[in-house]
């Protein structure tokens, strides 16, 4: 999926680099991995500054099969309440966990979901959000009191 920096540095260059590197880019679409596993990817809302359109989480998610395990790839760790029942796991990043102390504290004000796994409950459904600290940086190429991470998520099922 595309995050804010892919738009900042130039969308066509970013897409070209990712495709040449062998990645499939999910821009407001989904792909069936197996009969019971779907990956859904949506552009970061930064896209609005560049072409005026805003991705619609609900529109993208609501028509997917409810019997599948749905992984929602969204750059920023924000969940729209009306979308909770349409996916099982959201994978996000964006925050770098603050990257440099004391920004680690400030990030928590804007993105209260901590790094790592969080459980979001609504009615009879449990949804998970995993917010990765990531490995990279923005601005100065340094991290201070904010360890980088590479996350491995293993999905075990039928």
């Amino acid at each position: 999926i595309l995050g804010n920096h892919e738009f900042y540095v130039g969308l066509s260059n970013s897409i070209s680099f990712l495709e040449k590197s062998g990645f499939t880019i999910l821009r407001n679409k989904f792909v069936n991995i197996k009969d019971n596993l779907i990956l859904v990817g949506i552009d970061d809302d930064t896209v609005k500054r560049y072409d005026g359109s805003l991705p619609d989480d609900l529109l993208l998610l609501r028509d997917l099969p409810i019997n599948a395990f749905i992984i929602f790839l969204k750059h920023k760790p924000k969940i729209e309440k009306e979308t909770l029942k349409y996916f099982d796991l959201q994978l996000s990043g964006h925050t770098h966990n603050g990257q440099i102390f004391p920004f680690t504290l400030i990030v928590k004000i804007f993105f209260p979901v901590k790094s790592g796994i969080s459980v979001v409950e609504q009615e009879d459904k449990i949804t998970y959000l995993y917010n990765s600290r990531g490995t990279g940086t923005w601005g100065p190429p340094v991290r201070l009191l904010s360890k980088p991470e590479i996350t491995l998520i293993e999905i075990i099922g039928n």
Side-chain angles (χ1 to χ4, degrees):
I1 60 168
L2 301 177
N4 53 319
H5 287 273
E6 283 74 26
F7 293 98
Y8 298 158
V9 301
L11 187 58
S12 61
N13 287 338
S14 295
I15 290 173
S16 175
F17 174 80
L18 291 168
E19 288 175 341
K20 286 177 184 174
S21 300
F23 290 97
T24 298
I25 303 168
L26 296 178
R27 297 196 68 197
N28 311 318
K29 63 182 181 179
F30 67 91
V31 56
N32 288 303
I33 303 299
K34 287 186 159 189
D35 292 335
N36 57 355
L37 178 62
I38 297 174
L39 282 181
V40 181
I42 196 163
D43 280 353
D44 186 66
D45 58 11
T46 303
V47 69
K48 185 174 183 186
R49 294 186 213 162
Y50 293 87
D51 75 7
S53 66
L54 191 61
D56 187 331
D57 298 14
L58 185 58
L59 185 63
L60 184 58
L61 292 165
R62 70 177 177 205
D63 293 328
L64 297 175
I66 59 171
N67 60 338
F69 188 83
I70 297 173
I71 300 174
F72 187 31
L73 307 173
K74 184 176 180 182
H75 185 64
K76 290 184 180 122
K78 290 184 176 180
I79 296 177
E80 308 304 324
K81 194 168 190 135
E82 66 273 7
T83 66
L84 274 172
K85 63 183 174 183
Y86 296 108
F87 64 92
D88 300 287
L89 170 64
Q90 178 174 311
L91 300 178
S92 297
H94 179 69
T95 66
H96 302 258
N97 198 38
Q99 185 176 325
I100 302 170
F101 184 83
F103 296 117
T104 50
L105 303 173
I106 296 167
V107 161
K108 288 181 174 71
I109 294 169
F110 295 100
F111 299 97
V113 175
K114 63 179 180 149
S115 65
I117 193 82
S118 297
V119 177
V120 184
E121 293 186 50
Q122 179 182 340
E123 296 170 20
D124 61 345
K125 173 143 171 125
I126 295 176
T127 301
Y128 297 92
L129 167 62
Y130 189 87
N131 185 26
S132 172
R133 296 187 306 257
T135 59
T137 59
W138 63 270
V142 66
R143 293 179 81 115
L144 179 63
L145 299 176
S146 177
K147 293 180 182 179
E149 73 175 346
I150 295 174
T151 306
L152 173 64
I153 295 178
E154 188 174 353
I155 299 173
I156 301 170
N158 301 345

